[in-house]
Amino acid sequence: MENPPLLSIIVPTRNRQKYAISAINSILGIPAKDIELVVYDNSDSDDLRNYIYSNINDDRLRYYYMPHPSSMPDNWNNAVGMASGKYLCLIGDDDGINPEIIEATRWADMKDIDALKPTISVSYLWPGSEVTSVPINGLLTIIPFSGRVIRPDPEVEMKKVVRTGGFKYLGTELPRLYHGIVRRECLNKVRETTGAFFGGLSPDIYAALSISNFTKNVVSIDYPLTIAGTSHPSGSAQLYRREHLSKKLEDTPLFRYKSAYEWAEIVPRLYIAPTIWADSAVAALKALKRDDILQDFNLPLLAAYCIVAYPKNAHIVLRDMYTYFRATNKNKLMGTFRFCYSLLIGPCGLIKPVTRRVIRHILLVERANIRINEVENIVEATNVLTDYLRKRKMRFSDFVS
């Protein structure tokens, strides 16, 4: 484009029109001309398209409809390919945006920052999300945040992911496109190197690792610029309800449109969240040819976590772990020792969760979360967050220079 926008907010969506409409209306409510909203619709019906054509007249919206079903990574690749902004941010169709995101992007551009990683400290449970035993009628939760700014080393953060079994990326300071802000040039380098913006089965994790390979100037701030939404059909809600679990990978939704996908041999062939995350991390590092980092992959820790979290499938995890040891001539005795150590006292073992619960309880006593009930949709959730920040006289600009 001759005069591209500063920020493209990208929303891939499929068969979740109600949530997408709310996200669209919320984002277009931001009074900024240098924002572009890209909506890539892969739904079975054209209901969302009809709604947009009948109700929205905003030249900042770029809407694309592709009725042929495809995988999540393919949808995300197509969606990012349609964006034209200097910086990109990708969210789910049930998520929201803090209007300050454009101010934050202007600051990142002025400071020549490759990636800005805000905390996900604001979450919204849509009515009917069914993630607790108590019915939810729209709950917005705000975890207290400090505005602390750090400048992480992406290379160090990549190594942390590998050394913790590939599934603990949320505990790192990896730059991310999903609920983060990334310079378009960095994503272009990913595509030039690997052939696509996204791969693997979990595109957000794949992108976090691949982007890290090309970002130098990264800033992480303990301040919310997005709202993490959870609706009934979302992956996080299915995770809570254990609807994601399947012993046969080929029967799972993520494999439905990726029949030729090659699951990483180092990851147990079990369809659960930690193995999907680990597999996507491995896929990214392989595509980047970063075997120097991948060689430190902590399979025993991943296996221990899977067994603790999903004990009914322990036989699958153990079988695949020792199969990998044999196939790669890894020291089985050392691998067994590391597995037992992780099982007992590792970061996700049997002992530390008790300690973590105690610490979490202590922290919550001193830093009680803010919970607002009866929030109807993401438009209202955004308004509630904006009002919360205004009353406390908190702004993004207060914490950066």
Side-chain angles (χ1 to χ4, degrees):
M1 296 181 65
E2 184 176 347
N3 296 301
L6 176 63
L7 175 66
S8 292
I9 300 175
I10 305 164
V11 183
T13 184
R14 175 173 169 78
N15 294 338
R16 305 201 300 192
Q17 290 84 352
K18 176 178 71 172
Y19 308 108
I21 288 171
S22 187
I24 291 168
N25 288 329
S26 176
I27 295 167
L28 292 180
I30 300 174
K33 293 184 178 180
D34 43 358
I35 281 182
E36 171 187 71
L37 172 59
V38 176
V39 177
Y40 188 84
D41 183 9
N42 190 226
S43 301
D44 294 329
S45 73
D46 58 359
D47 293 346
L48 180 57
R49 179 175 64 177
N50 292 337
Y51 173 86
I52 289 174
Y53 288 169
S54 300
N55 297 278
I56 297 178
N57 182 21
D58 193 319
D59 57 9
R60 297 176 299 168
L61 173 62
R62 301 182 69 184
Y63 172 80
Y64 302 89
Y65 178 53
M66 176 60 68
H68 306 294
S70 57
S71 68
M72 184 185 296
D74 289 341
N75 286 341
W76 284 31
N77 273 308
N78 292 332
V80 170
M82 300 296 180
S84 59
K86 185 174 183 179
Y87 285 86
L88 308 181
C89 172
L90 191 148
I91 63 171
D93 54 13
D94 54 2
D95 298 328
I97 292 289
N98 176 355
E100 289 183 277
I101 195 170
I102 187 61
E103 181 181 350
T105 308
R106 290 168 185 158
W107 175 82
D109 187 37
M110 180 180 64
K111 296 294 184 178
D112 196 31
I113 291 170
D114 292 325
L116 177 61
K117 174 188 173 291
T119 53
I120 302 179
S121 51
V122 180
S123 60
Y124 173 60
L125 296 179
W126 281 81
S129 54
E130 296 184 15
V131 298
T132 67
S133 57
V134 179
I136 296 296
N137 192 29
L139 175 64
L140 184 73
T141 301
I142 302 174
I143 302 173
F145 45 88
S146 65
R148 182 175 68 105
V149 174
I150 62 174
R151 293 180 176 269
D153 183 339
E155 191 80 3
V156 171
E157 300 306 312
M158 292 171 73
K159 292 176 180 178
K160 286 181 182 178
V161 173
V162 170
R163 290 168 182 169
T164 54
F167 67 95
K168 289 178 66 64
Y169 90 108
L170 288 176
T172 71
E173 294 295 343
L174 281 176
R176 58 173 181 253
L177 178 64
Y178 186 59
H179 286 271
I181 302 170
V182 178
R183 193 194 299 270
R184 175 59 185 254
E185 292 175 2
C186 299
L187 280 159
N188 288 343
K189 290 178 182 178
V190 172
R191 183 171 61 177
E192 291 167 5
T193 303
T194 68
F197 296 119
F198 305 101
L201 295 178
S202 180
D204 52 334
I205 298 172
Y206 184 99
L209 269 297
S210 57
I211 289 168
S212 297
N213 198 61
F214 299 103
T215 50
K216 303 301 181 184
N217 191 5
V218 176
V219 170
S220 175
I221 182 169
D222 185 19
Y223 192 85
L225 293 176
T226 62
I227 301 172
T230 299
S231 57
H232 179 80
S234 68
S236 52
Q238 293 176 24
L239 177 65
Y240 173 83
R241 297 190 299 266
R242 298 283 178 123
E243 293 176 3
H244 65 295
L245 186 59
S246 173
K247 294 181 181 179
K248 190 175 181 181
L249 292 175
E250 290 73 17
D251 292 338
T252 62
L254 289 177
F255 267 82
R256 189 170 300 155
Y257 306 117
K258 294 179 73 69
S259 58
Y261 184 78
E262 294 185 9
W263 185 265
E265 62 177 3
I266 198 173
V267 179
R269 294 181 64 81
L270 189 65
Y271 186 70
I272 53 178
T275 56
I276 293 173
W277 298 340
D279 173 79
S280 297
V282 172
L285 291 171
K286 284 185 174 180
L288 295 168
K289 297 180 172 56
R290 293 303 306 269
D291 292 338
D292 56 317
I293 294 180
L294 193 55
Q295 66 182 356
D296 292 331
F297 187 88
N298 195 339
L299 174 57
L301 178 59
L302 173 62
Y305 179 85
C306 291
I307 288 176
V308 170
Y310 305 91
K312 291 184 179 179
N313 297 291
H315 64 289
I316 298 176
V317 176
L318 291 173
R319 178 201 66 195
D320 290 352
M321 182 177 72
Y322 284 106
T323 297
Y324 179 75
F325 288 162
R326 288 192 295 269
T328 56
N329 295 317
K330 298 287 185 181
N331 189 311
K332 288 188 289 184
L333 183 60
M334 180 58 68
T336 301
F337 173 79
R338 294 179 65 194
F339 168 76
C340 293
Y341 176 85
S342 299
L343 195 64
L344 292 175
I345 59 176
C348 297
L350 298 173
I351 297 175
K352 285 198 174 182
V354 178
T355 306
R356 288 203 305 272
R357 283 196 293 270
V358 173
I359 295 174
R360 188 181 299 118
H361 176 73
I362 294 173
L363 290 176
L364 289 179
V365 169
E366 297 185 5
R367 301 177 62 194
N369 295 345
I370 306 299
R371 293 183 174 86
I372 300 97
N373 291 297
E374 306 294 329
V375 179
E376 183 177 354
N377 52 40
I378 208 69
V379 173
E380 187 175 338
T382 303
N383 293 336
V384 171
L385 172 60
T386 300
D387 188 58
Y388 171 87
L389 295 171
R390 179 184 57 81
K391 287 181 178 178
R392 286 157 180 78
K393 298 181 179 179
M394 302 179 73
R395 292 189 59 82
F396 174 87
S397 58
D398 296 336
F399 303 105
V400 296
S401 58

